[in-house]
Amino acid sequence: MTARIIDGKAIAAALRADIAARVAQLDFRPGLAVILVGENPASMVYVRNKDRAAGAAGLAAATIRLPATIGETELLAEIARLNADPAVDGILVQLPLPRGIDPNRVIATIDPAKDVDGFHPLNVGALASGQPGLVPCTPLGVMRLLAAAGVQPAGARALVLGRSAIVGRPMAALLLAADATVTVAHSHTRNLAAECRRAEILIAAVGRAEMVRGDWIAADATVIDVGINRRPDGRLVGDVAFAEAVEMAAAITPVPGGVGPMTIACLLENTVTAALRRRGRRAGR
Ligand code: NDP
């Protein structure tokens, strides 16, 4: 049987439309400030896309471009200025940063209530201990995809392949908070294929092109492929061998058009959440 395709593009478009409708009802415009340091080409594309999506959803979006030569002290001072600006609800510092600037110190300087990437240690701790906070956009996007596809994590055996701070770890914490039985696999995991085969929900966030083969996947599994890898021929592929997996799984996300579009939509959602919480209002989700 061929798997059902989970259409991240359509689900993200619906989420963005929903956010725009919520923003239109507000008596203020949530503000998002994105800081771009230097001229990393990939970062410039990401930042432009974030700015456009935020504007289209009715947010007050501003991109702050700083030269690669900026010192850490000046960058921290810029963040402190945004922390103090009441019109700014969300602050995102595009990573990676130029050498010589400590990303951990930069992230720790962002007001946790405005940390729409969810990387501040207070938000990381809140997620790890099951308390409300701001959650990283990509794993939040995966949870939204599962919900939209009608997949219930509660009681399900979930396997997260990868344990990075930005995807794997927060993904595992979100699935645990949603009552899944969670296994986290990584480069030291023995018999990875067998571990994957036990999963009813398999999240691949490993950064290795098409590493997860069709025979690693259980027949009833939902497969969410976070990976974005460029083949030598320029083709974008995920961490899952899609052509094989689509013949095995019950449901699967494509690459591109799966998790990718959800990340920006969830950044917008986080900005609205931060804006409402800062004003003592319920975020509604
Ligand atoms: P990292 O490189 O930070 O983490 C990769 C993880 O995979 C590590 O935990 C590593 O284990 C594990 N790993 C690597 N090789 C193996 C292996 N052979 N067997 C088992 N485990 C392995 O990557 P990220 O989490 O940042 O990103 C993962 C993927 O997701 C990438 O393709 C990235 O491009 C994509 N991505 C997509 C986003 C989107 O918006 N769709 C957003 C962010 C990332 P260990 O810890 O032991 O080293």
Side-chain angles (χ1 to χ4, degrees):
M1 202 183 71
T2 306
R4 181 160 60 95
I5 306 295
I6 301 173
D7 184 349
K9 225 170 142 181
I11 296 167
L15 179 54
R16 287 203 312 269
D18 177 51
I19 293 163
R22 287 168 66 200
V23 169
Q25 303 271 309
L26 295 174
D27 52 1
F28 69 97
R29 283 181 86 194
L32 173 65
V34 177
I35 300 181
L36 174 64
V37 184
E39 295 185 350
N40 176 316
S43 293
M44 288 166 81
V45 172
Y46 291 144
V47 165
R48 195 169 52 233
N49 290 342
K50 287 170 184 176
D51 189 68
R52 273 194 200 145
L59 306 184
T63 301
I64 296 147
R65 292 184 174 77
L66 301 171
T69 52
I70 194 172
E72 187 176 289
T73 312
E74 290 160 281
L75 177 55
L76 298 187
E78 183 62 30
I79 294 171
R81 186 184 69 73
L82 295 169
N83 283 344
D85 183 344
V88 173
D89 296 292
I91 302 170
L92 181 153
V93 179
Q94 185 65 43
L95 301 175
L97 289 166
R99 232 178 289 162
I101 300 181
D102 177 358
N104 291 328
R105 204 169 301 151
V106 168
I107 290 164
T109 304
I110 298 171
D111 178 349
K114 298 188 178 187
D115 168 40
V116 283
D117 253 345
F119 295 160
H120 188 286
L122 267 183
N123 283 318
V124 174
L127 179 58
S129 58
Q131 292 171 54
L134 290 164
V135 170
C137 302
T138 299
L140 181 60
V142 172
M143 296 307 286
R144 297 281 176 262
L145 277 182
L146 290 174
V151 178
Q152 299 284 352
R157 275 193 311 277
L159 181 123
V160 181
L161 180 47
R163 56 171 170 179
S164 72
I166 63 166
V167 188
R169 283 168 200 260
M171 187 73 255
L174 281 171
L175 285 164
L176 190 57
D179 299 325
T181 302
V182 183
T183 302
V184 182
H186 45 76
S187 66
H188 296 261
T189 299
R190 274 195 299 271
N191 207 350
L192 195 53
E195 290 291 347
C196 289
R197 231 174 268 130
R198 285 159 33 83
E200 294 164 286
I201 298 173
L202 173 59
I203 316 281
V206 73
R208 306 244 179 249
E210 299 179 315
M211 189 179 100
V212 178
R213 312 307 309 187
D215 64 358
W216 294 24
I217 294 166
D220 59 350
T222 297
V223 179
I224 307 287
D225 190 351
V226 182
I228 304 175
N229 311 286
R230 198 170 284 281
R231 283 278 184 209
D233 64 3
R235 206 162 47 98
L236 276 189
V237 297
D239 292 342
V240 178
F242 183 85
E244 295 174 17
V246 77
E247 298 301 329
M248 295 297 294
I252 186 167
T253 57
V255 175
V259 176
M262 296 301 290
T263 297
I264 289 188
C266 286
L267 171 66
L268 309 181
E269 180 181 334
N270 272 351
T271 305
V272 175
T273 300
L276 294 175
R277 287 197 187 142
R278 288 183 59 244
R279 288 164 179 79
R281 305 191 203 169
R282 276 169 51 94
R285 270 161 219 275

PDB file of all heavy atoms in Angstrom, residues 138 161-169 185-189 192 204-208 211 225-229 239 259-261 263, ligand 1:
ATOM      1  N   THR A 138      10.810  24.397  14.494  1.00  0.00           N
ATOM      2  CA  THR A 138      10.750  23.191  13.649  1.00  0.00           C
ATOM      3  C   THR A 138      10.039  22.034  14.363  1.00  0.00           C
ATOM      4  O   THR A 138       9.094  21.454  13.805  1.00  0.00           O
ATOM      5  CB  THR A 138      12.167  22.789  13.164  1.00  0.00           C
ATOM      6  OG1 THR A 138      12.683  23.878  12.393  1.00  0.00           O
ATOM      7  CG2 THR A 138      12.138  21.531  12.336  1.00  0.00           C
ATOM      8  N   LEU A 161      15.015  10.407  15.623  1.00  0.00           N
ATOM      9  CA  LEU A 161      16.377  10.094  15.166  1.00  0.00           C
ATOM     10  C   LEU A 161      17.152  11.409  15.081  1.00  0.00           C
ATOM     11  O   LEU A 161      16.896  12.222  14.186  1.00  0.00           O
ATOM     12  CB  LEU A 161      16.288   9.380  13.811  1.00  0.00           C
ATOM     13  CG  LEU A 161      17.592   8.955  13.142  1.00  0.00           C
ATOM     14  CD1 LEU A 161      18.522   8.249  14.102  1.00  0.00           C
ATOM     15  CD2 LEU A 161      17.281   8.059  11.956  1.00  0.00           C
ATOM     16  N   GLY A 162      18.054  11.640  16.035  1.00  0.00           N
ATOM     17  CA  GLY A 162      18.798  12.905  16.151  1.00  0.00           C
ATOM     18  C   GLY A 162      18.520  13.528  17.508  1.00  0.00           C
ATOM     19  O   GLY A 162      17.407  13.401  18.031  1.00  0.00           O
ATOM     20  N   ARG A 163      19.556  14.158  18.095  1.00  0.00           N
ATOM     21  CA  ARG A 163      19.388  14.731  19.438  1.00  0.00           C
ATOM     22  C   ARG A 163      19.975  16.134  19.519  1.00  0.00           C
ATOM     23  O   ARG A 163      20.547  16.528  20.537  1.00  0.00           O
ATOM     24  CB  ARG A 163      20.042  13.815  20.476  1.00  0.00           C
ATOM     25  CG  ARG A 163      21.508  13.554  20.195  1.00  0.00           C
ATOM     26  CD  ARG A 163      22.189  12.822  21.332  1.00  0.00           C
ATOM     27  NE  ARG A 163      23.512  12.389  20.928  1.00  0.00           N
ATOM     28  CZ  ARG A 163      24.368  11.737  21.715  1.00  0.00           C
ATOM     29  NH1 ARG A 163      24.008  11.436  22.949  1.00  0.00           N
ATOM     30  NH2 ARG A 163      25.547  11.383  21.267  1.00  0.00           N
ATOM     31  N   SER A 164      19.871  16.891  18.403  1.00  0.00           N
ATOM     32  CA  SER A 164      20.402  18.260  18.427  1.00  0.00           C
ATOM     33  C   SER A 164      19.533  19.137  19.319  1.00  0.00           C
ATOM     34  O   SER A 164      18.371  18.821  19.604  1.00  0.00           O
ATOM     35  CB  SER A 164      20.442  18.849  17.016  1.00  0.00           C
ATOM     36  OG  SER A 164      19.134  19.134  16.581  1.00  0.00           O
ATOM     37  N   ALA A 165      20.122  20.266  19.737  1.00  0.00           N
ATOM     38  CA  ALA A 165      19.396  21.191  20.610  1.00  0.00           C
ATOM     39  C   ALA A 165      18.240  21.868  19.874  1.00  0.00           C
ATOM     40  O   ALA A 165      17.246  22.232  20.501  1.00  0.00           O
ATOM     41  CB  ALA A 165      20.362  22.244  21.149  1.00  0.00           C
ATOM     42  N   ILE A 166      18.367  22.009  18.536  1.00  0.00           N
ATOM     43  CA  ILE A 166      17.312  22.762  17.831  1.00  0.00           C
ATOM     44  C   ILE A 166      16.194  21.869  17.296  1.00  0.00           C
ATOM     45  O   ILE A 166      15.091  22.340  17.063  1.00  0.00           O
ATOM     46  CB  ILE A 166      17.871  23.661  16.702  1.00  0.00           C
ATOM     47  CG1 ILE A 166      18.541  22.840  15.608  1.00  0.00           C
ATOM     48  CG2 ILE A 166      18.819  24.711  17.246  1.00  0.00           C
ATOM     49  CD1 ILE A 166      18.774  23.663  14.347  1.00  0.00           C
ATOM     50  N   VAL A 167      16.481  20.575  17.082  1.00  0.00           N
ATOM     51  CA  VAL A 167      15.416  19.703  16.553  1.00  0.00           C
ATOM     52  C   VAL A 167      15.176  18.487  17.470  1.00  0.00           C
ATOM     53  O   VAL A 167      14.115  18.365  18.081  1.00  0.00           O
ATOM     54  CB  VAL A 167      15.699  19.216  15.110  1.00  0.00           C
ATOM     55  CG1 VAL A 167      14.461  18.498  14.570  1.00  0.00           C
ATOM     56  CG2 VAL A 167      16.087  20.352  14.179  1.00  0.00           C
ATOM     57  N   GLY A 168      16.148  17.583  17.559  1.00  0.00           N
ATOM     58  CA  GLY A 168      15.907  16.285  18.205  1.00  0.00           C
ATOM     59  C   GLY A 168      15.438  16.380  19.646  1.00  0.00           C
ATOM     60  O   GLY A 168      14.418  15.793  20.023  1.00  0.00           O
ATOM     61  N   ARG A 169      16.194  17.130  20.468  1.00  0.00           N
ATOM     62  CA  ARG A 169      15.835  17.188  21.904  1.00  0.00           C
ATOM     63  C   ARG A 169      14.473  17.844  22.152  1.00  0.00           C
ATOM     64  O   ARG A 169      13.630  17.266  22.863  1.00  0.00           O
ATOM     65  CB  ARG A 169      16.924  17.913  22.692  1.00  0.00           C
ATOM     66  CG  ARG A 169      18.145  17.052  22.932  1.00  0.00           C
ATOM     67  CD  ARG A 169      19.321  17.861  23.448  1.00  0.00           C
ATOM     68  NE  ARG A 169      20.557  17.135  23.222  1.00  0.00           N
ATOM     69  CZ  ARG A 169      21.211  16.423  24.146  1.00  0.00           C
ATOM     70  NH1 ARG A 169      20.753  16.353  25.377  1.00  0.00           N
ATOM     71  NH2 ARG A 169      22.313  15.787  23.835  1.00  0.00           N
ATOM     72  N   ALA A 185      17.203   8.346  19.333  1.00  0.00           N
ATOM     73  CA  ALA A 185      18.343   7.625  18.762  1.00  0.00           C
ATOM     74  C   ALA A 185      19.370   8.617  18.231  1.00  0.00           C
ATOM     75  O   ALA A 185      19.029   9.750  17.883  1.00  0.00           O
ATOM     76  CB  ALA A 185      17.864   6.712  17.637  1.00  0.00           C
ATOM     77  N   HIS A 186      20.640   8.197  18.187  1.00  0.00           N
ATOM     78  CA  HIS A 186      21.727   9.091  17.769  1.00  0.00           C
ATOM     79  C   HIS A 186      22.873   8.242  17.238  1.00  0.00           C
ATOM     80  O   HIS A 186      22.707   7.032  17.015  1.00  0.00           O
ATOM     81  CB  HIS A 186      22.141   9.976  18.949  1.00  0.00           C
ATOM     82  CG  HIS A 186      22.285   9.227  20.216  1.00  0.00           C
ATOM     83  ND1 HIS A 186      23.371   8.430  20.474  1.00  0.00           N
ATOM     84  CD2 HIS A 186      21.421   9.084  21.257  1.00  0.00           C
ATOM     85  CE1 HIS A 186      23.208   7.852  21.649  1.00  0.00           C
ATOM     86  NE2 HIS A 186      22.031   8.223  22.153  1.00  0.00           N
ATOM     87  N   SER A 187      24.043   8.854  17.075  1.00  0.00           N
ATOM     88  CA  SER A 187      25.132   8.164  16.379  1.00  0.00           C
ATOM     89  C   SER A 187      25.709   6.996  17.194  1.00  0.00           C
ATOM     90  O   SER A 187      26.457   6.192  16.651  1.00  0.00           O
ATOM     91  CB  SER A 187      26.236   9.150  16.016  1.00  0.00           C
ATOM     92  OG  SER A 187      26.849   9.650  17.172  1.00  0.00           O
ATOM     93  N   HIS A 188      25.365   6.891  18.469  1.00  0.00           N
ATOM     94  CA  HIS A 188      25.855   5.766  19.274  1.00  0.00           C
ATOM     95  C   HIS A 188      24.808   4.663  19.430  1.00  0.00           C
ATOM     96  O   HIS A 188      25.056   3.669  20.118  1.00  0.00           O
ATOM     97  CB  HIS A 188      26.281   6.249  20.670  1.00  0.00           C
ATOM     98  CG  HIS A 188      27.432   7.201  20.627  1.00  0.00           C
ATOM     99  ND1 HIS A 188      28.731   6.815  20.865  1.00  0.00           N
ATOM    100  CD2 HIS A 188      27.475   8.517  20.330  1.00  0.00           C
ATOM    101  CE1 HIS A 188      29.527   7.862  20.731  1.00  0.00           C
ATOM    102  NE2 HIS A 188      28.786   8.907  20.409  1.00  0.00           N
ATOM    103  N   THR A 189      23.640   4.858  18.845  1.00  0.00           N
ATOM    104  CA  THR A 189      22.560   3.870  18.998  1.00  0.00           C
ATOM    105  C   THR A 189      22.930   2.573  18.271  1.00  0.00           C
ATOM    106  O   THR A 189      23.342   2.614  17.112  1.00  0.00           O
ATOM    107  CB  THR A 189      21.242   4.438  18.421  1.00  0.00           C
ATOM    108  OG1 THR A 189      20.912   5.611  19.147  1.00  0.00           O
ATOM    109  CG2 THR A 189      20.102   3.443  18.515  1.00  0.00           C
ATOM    110  N   LEU A 192      20.191   0.543  14.770  1.00  0.00           N
ATOM    111  CA  LEU A 192      19.278   1.658  14.492  1.00  0.00           C
ATOM    112  C   LEU A 192      18.051   1.211  13.674  1.00  0.00           C
ATOM    113  O   LEU A 192      16.926   1.626  13.956  1.00  0.00           O
ATOM    114  CB  LEU A 192      20.071   2.725  13.729  1.00  0.00           C
ATOM    115  CG  LEU A 192      19.493   4.100  13.603  1.00  0.00           C
ATOM    116  CD1 LEU A 192      19.103   4.654  14.959  1.00  0.00           C
ATOM    117  CD2 LEU A 192      20.529   5.015  12.936  1.00  0.00           C
ATOM    118  N   ALA A 204      12.693  11.792  11.585  1.00  0.00           N
ATOM    119  CA  ALA A 204      14.102  11.730  11.174  1.00  0.00           C
ATOM    120  C   ALA A 204      14.676  13.140  11.128  1.00  0.00           C
ATOM    121  O   ALA A 204      14.210  13.990  10.373  1.00  0.00           O
ATOM    122  CB  ALA A 204      14.210  11.063   9.810  1.00  0.00           C
ATOM    123  N   ALA A 205      15.678  13.390  11.977  1.00  0.00           N
ATOM    124  CA  ALA A 205      16.348  14.710  12.009  1.00  0.00           C
ATOM    125  C   ALA A 205      17.827  14.452  12.218  1.00  0.00           C
ATOM    126  O   ALA A 205      18.393  14.726  13.258  1.00  0.00           O
ATOM    127  CB  ALA A 205      15.779  15.574  13.125  1.00  0.00           C
ATOM    128  N   VAL A 206      18.437  13.898  11.188  1.00  0.00           N
ATOM    129  CA  VAL A 206      19.788  13.370  11.323  1.00  0.00           C
ATOM    130  C   VAL A 206      20.780  14.095  10.408  1.00  0.00           C
ATOM    131  O   VAL A 206      21.988  14.107  10.659  1.00  0.00           O
ATOM    132  CB  VAL A 206      19.727  11.838  11.111  1.00  0.00           C
ATOM    133  CG1 VAL A 206      19.504  11.502   9.657  1.00  0.00           C
ATOM    134  CG2 VAL A 206      20.922  11.120  11.646  1.00  0.00           C
ATOM    135  N   GLY A 207      20.276  14.680   9.321  1.00  0.00           N
ATOM    136  CA  GLY A 207      21.162  15.415   8.411  1.00  0.00           C
ATOM    137  C   GLY A 207      22.004  14.508   7.540  1.00  0.00           C
ATOM    138  O   GLY A 207      23.112  14.879   7.151  1.00  0.00           O
ATOM    139  N   ARG A 208      21.487  13.299   7.242  1.00  0.00           N
ATOM    140  CA  ARG A 208      22.201  12.369   6.346  1.00  0.00           C
ATOM    141  C   ARG A 208      21.231  11.963   5.231  1.00  0.00           C
ATOM    142  O   ARG A 208      20.192  11.334   5.522  1.00  0.00           O
ATOM    143  CB  ARG A 208      22.642  11.105   7.079  1.00  0.00           C
ATOM    144  CG  ARG A 208      23.447  11.365   8.314  1.00  0.00           C
ATOM    145  CD  ARG A 208      24.860  10.826   8.159  1.00  0.00           C
ATOM    146  NE  ARG A 208      25.607  11.110   9.360  1.00  0.00           N
ATOM    147  CZ  ARG A 208      26.610  11.994   9.414  1.00  0.00           C
ATOM    148  NH1 ARG A 208      26.987  12.658   8.355  1.00  0.00           N
ATOM    149  NH2 ARG A 208      27.242  12.208  10.543  1.00  0.00           N
ATOM    150  N   MET A 211      19.178   8.321   4.615  1.00  0.00           N
ATOM    151  CA  MET A 211      19.755   7.284   5.468  1.00  0.00           C
ATOM    152  C   MET A 211      18.711   6.245   5.911  1.00  0.00           C
ATOM    153  O   MET A 211      19.011   5.055   6.044  1.00  0.00           O
ATOM    154  CB  MET A 211      20.389   7.922   6.702  1.00  0.00           C
ATOM    155  CG  MET A 211      21.197   6.946   7.525  1.00  0.00           C
ATOM    156  SD  MET A 211      21.940   7.749   8.952  1.00  0.00           S
ATOM    157  CE  MET A 211      20.806   7.249  10.203  1.00  0.00           C
ATOM    158  N   ASP A 225       9.886  13.608   8.008  1.00  0.00           N
ATOM    159  CA  ASP A 225      11.282  13.777   7.578  1.00  0.00           C
ATOM    160  C   ASP A 225      11.687  15.244   7.716  1.00  0.00           C
ATOM    161  O   ASP A 225      11.255  16.092   6.936  1.00  0.00           O
ATOM    162  CB  ASP A 225      11.392  13.315   6.119  1.00  0.00           C
ATOM    163  CG  ASP A 225      12.832  13.207   5.650  1.00  0.00           C
ATOM    164  OD1 ASP A 225      13.740  13.647   6.390  1.00  0.00           O
ATOM    165  OD2 ASP A 225      13.035  12.675   4.545  1.00  0.00           O
ATOM    166  N   VAL A 226      12.511  15.522   8.734  1.00  0.00           N
ATOM    167  CA  VAL A 226      12.941  16.907   8.980  1.00  0.00           C
ATOM    168  C   VAL A 226      14.145  17.270   8.102  1.00  0.00           C
ATOM    169  O   VAL A 226      14.400  18.432   7.821  1.00  0.00           O
ATOM    170  CB  VAL A 226      13.287  17.114  10.479  1.00  0.00           C
ATOM    171  CG1 VAL A 226      13.699  18.546  10.771  1.00  0.00           C
ATOM    172  CG2 VAL A 226      12.111  16.720  11.363  1.00  0.00           C
ATOM    173  N   GLY A 227      14.867  16.267   7.653  1.00  0.00           N
ATOM    174  CA  GLY A 227      16.138  16.495   6.968  1.00  0.00           C
ATOM    175  C   GLY A 227      16.019  17.320   5.694  1.00  0.00           C
ATOM    176  O   GLY A 227      15.030  17.204   4.952  1.00  0.00           O
ATOM    177  N   ILE A 228      17.015  18.140   5.469  1.00  0.00           N
ATOM    178  CA  ILE A 228      17.143  18.866   4.194  1.00  0.00           C
ATOM    179  C   ILE A 228      18.589  18.673   3.747  1.00  0.00           C
ATOM    180  O   ILE A 228      19.504  19.193   4.382  1.00  0.00           O
ATOM    181  CB  ILE A 228      16.853  20.378   4.357  1.00  0.00           C
ATOM    182  CG1 ILE A 228      15.477  20.618   4.977  1.00  0.00           C
ATOM    183  CG2 ILE A 228      16.964  21.081   3.012  1.00  0.00           C
ATOM    184  CD1 ILE A 228      15.200  22.093   5.272  1.00  0.00           C
ATOM    185  N   ASN A 229      18.778  17.892   2.716  1.00  0.00           N
ATOM    186  CA  ASN A 229      20.139  17.603   2.236  1.00  0.00           C
ATOM    187  C   ASN A 229      20.186  17.849   0.735  1.00  0.00           C
ATOM    188  O   ASN A 229      19.240  17.497   0.019  1.00  0.00           O
ATOM    189  CB  ASN A 229      20.493  16.136   2.504  1.00  0.00           C
ATOM    190  CG  ASN A 229      20.194  15.719   3.935  1.00  0.00           C
ATOM    191  OD1 ASN A 229      20.902  16.078   4.861  1.00  0.00           O
ATOM    192  ND2 ASN A 229      19.105  14.964   4.134  1.00  0.00           N
ATOM    193  N   ASP A 239      16.118  12.940   5.035  1.00  0.00           N
ATOM    194  CA  ASP A 239      16.908  11.911   5.717  1.00  0.00           C
ATOM    195  C   ASP A 239      16.321  10.524   5.460  1.00  0.00           C
ATOM    196  O   ASP A 239      16.882   9.523   5.878  1.00  0.00           O
ATOM    197  CB  ASP A 239      16.920  12.167   7.231  1.00  0.00           C
ATOM    198  CG  ASP A 239      17.695  13.430   7.585  1.00  0.00           C
ATOM    199  OD1 ASP A 239      18.479  13.911   6.750  1.00  0.00           O
ATOM    200  OD2 ASP A 239      17.508  13.939   8.713  1.00  0.00           O
ATOM    201  N   VAL A 259       8.125  19.354   6.299  1.00  0.00           N
ATOM    202  CA  VAL A 259       8.384  20.112   7.530  1.00  0.00           C
ATOM    203  C   VAL A 259       8.830  21.545   7.239  1.00  0.00           C
ATOM    204  O   VAL A 259       8.466  22.478   7.957  1.00  0.00           O
ATOM    205  CB  VAL A 259       9.458  19.383   8.383  1.00  0.00           C
ATOM    206  CG1 VAL A 259       9.818  20.191   9.619  1.00  0.00           C
ATOM    207  CG2 VAL A 259       8.967  17.998   8.782  1.00  0.00           C
ATOM    208  N   GLY A 260       9.624  21.717   6.173  1.00  0.00           N
ATOM    209  CA  GLY A 260      10.208  23.031   5.869  1.00  0.00           C
ATOM    210  C   GLY A 260       9.223  24.190   5.959  1.00  0.00           C
ATOM    211  O   GLY A 260       9.454  25.135   6.719  1.00  0.00           O
ATOM    212  N   PRO A 261       8.098  24.142   5.235  1.00  0.00           N
ATOM    213  CA  PRO A 261       7.158  25.273   5.270  1.00  0.00           C
ATOM    214  C   PRO A 261       6.549  25.527   6.659  1.00  0.00           C
ATOM    215  O   PRO A 261       6.107  26.633   6.952  1.00  0.00           O
ATOM    216  CB  PRO A 261       6.053  24.864   4.286  1.00  0.00           C
ATOM    217  CG  PRO A 261       6.627  23.766   3.465  1.00  0.00           C
ATOM    218  CD  PRO A 261       7.690  23.101   4.273  1.00  0.00           C
ATOM    219  N   THR A 263       8.115  25.491   9.533  1.00  0.00           N
ATOM    220  CA  THR A 263       9.016  26.175  10.453  1.00  0.00           C
ATOM    221  C   THR A 263       8.703  27.675  10.500  1.00  0.00           C
ATOM    222  O   THR A 263       8.570  28.256  11.583  1.00  0.00           O
ATOM    223  CB  THR A 263      10.482  25.906  10.049  1.00  0.00           C
ATOM    224  OG1 THR A 263      10.714  24.502  10.166  1.00  0.00           O
ATOM    225  CG2 THR A 263      11.462  26.634  10.952  1.00  0.00           C
TER     226      THR A 263
HETATM  227  P1  NDP B   1      22.727  18.075  13.747  1.00  0.00           P
HETATM  228  O1  NDP B   1      23.865  17.740  12.832  1.00  0.00           O
HETATM  229  O2  NDP B   1      22.889  19.140  14.765  1.00  0.00           O
HETATM  230  O3  NDP B   1      22.279  16.740  14.526  1.00  0.00           O
HETATM  231  C1  NDP B   1      22.229  15.501  13.861  1.00  0.00           C
HETATM  232  C2  NDP B   1      21.873  14.393  14.831  1.00  0.00           C
HETATM  233  O4  NDP B   1      21.850  13.181  14.103  1.00  0.00           O
HETATM  234  C3  NDP B   1      22.887  14.228  15.977  1.00  0.00           C
HETATM  235  O5  NDP B   1      22.197  14.021  17.185  1.00  0.00           O
HETATM  236  C4  NDP B   1      23.695  13.001  15.562  1.00  0.00           C
HETATM  237  O6  NDP B   1      24.073  12.184  16.637  1.00  0.00           O
HETATM  238  C5  NDP B   1      22.693  12.217  14.741  1.00  0.00           C
HETATM  239  N1  NDP B   1      23.406  11.421  13.750  1.00  0.00           N
HETATM  240  C6  NDP B   1      24.282  11.827  12.812  1.00  0.00           C
HETATM  241  N2  NDP B   1      24.700  10.794  12.079  1.00  0.00           N
HETATM  242  C7  NDP B   1      24.093   9.702  12.558  1.00  0.00           C
HETATM  243  C8  NDP B   1      24.113   8.317  12.204  1.00  0.00           C
HETATM  244  N3  NDP B   1      24.866   7.846  11.212  1.00  0.00           N
HETATM  245  N4  NDP B   1      23.336   7.478  12.921  1.00  0.00           N
HETATM  246  C9  NDP B   1      22.570   7.908  13.927  1.00  0.00           C
HETATM  247  N5  NDP B   1      22.501   9.209  14.293  1.00  0.00           N
HETATM  248  C10 NDP B   1      23.256  10.092  13.617  1.00  0.00           C
HETATM  249  O7  NDP B   1      21.502  18.370  12.792  1.00  0.00           O
HETATM  250  P2  NDP B   1      20.136  19.222  13.065  1.00  0.00           P
HETATM  251  O8  NDP B   1      19.345  18.585  14.135  1.00  0.00           O
HETATM  252  O9  NDP B   1      20.453  20.648  13.138  1.00  0.00           O
HETATM  253  O10 NDP B   1      19.399  18.973  11.676  1.00  0.00           O
HETATM  254  C11 NDP B   1      18.984  17.694  11.257  1.00  0.00           C
HETATM  255  C12 NDP B   1      18.446  17.797   9.850  1.00  0.00           C
HETATM  256  O11 NDP B   1      17.282  18.603   9.862  1.00  0.00           O
HETATM  257  C13 NDP B   1      19.382  18.457   8.840  1.00  0.00           C
HETATM  258  O12 NDP B   1      19.216  17.826   7.580  1.00  0.00           O
HETATM  259  C14 NDP B   1      18.900  19.875   8.762  1.00  0.00           C
HETATM  260  O13 NDP B   1      19.185  20.477   7.524  1.00  0.00           O
HETATM  261  C15 NDP B   1      17.418  19.681   8.929  1.00  0.00           C
HETATM  262  N6  NDP B   1      16.711  20.842   9.493  1.00  0.00           N
HETATM  263  C16 NDP B   1      15.552  21.202   8.879  1.00  0.00           C
HETATM  264  C17 NDP B   1      14.813  22.259   9.352  1.00  0.00           C
HETATM  265  C18 NDP B   1      13.531  22.585   8.674  1.00  0.00           C
HETATM  266  O14 NDP B   1      13.029  23.687   8.809  1.00  0.00           O
HETATM  267  N7  NDP B   1      12.916  21.633   7.953  1.00  0.00           N
HETATM  268  C19 NDP B   1      15.262  23.069  10.488  1.00  0.00           C
HETATM  269  C20 NDP B   1      16.454  22.568  11.127  1.00  0.00           C
HETATM  270  C21 NDP B   1      17.154  21.500  10.623  1.00  0.00           C
HETATM  271  P3  NDP B   1      25.152  12.611  17.773  1.00  0.00           P
HETATM  272  O15 NDP B   1      24.411  13.583  18.666  1.00  0.00           O
HETATM  273  O16 NDP B   1      25.484  11.349  18.444  1.00  0.00           O
HETATM  274  O17 NDP B   1      26.299  13.248  17.025  1.00  0.00           O
END
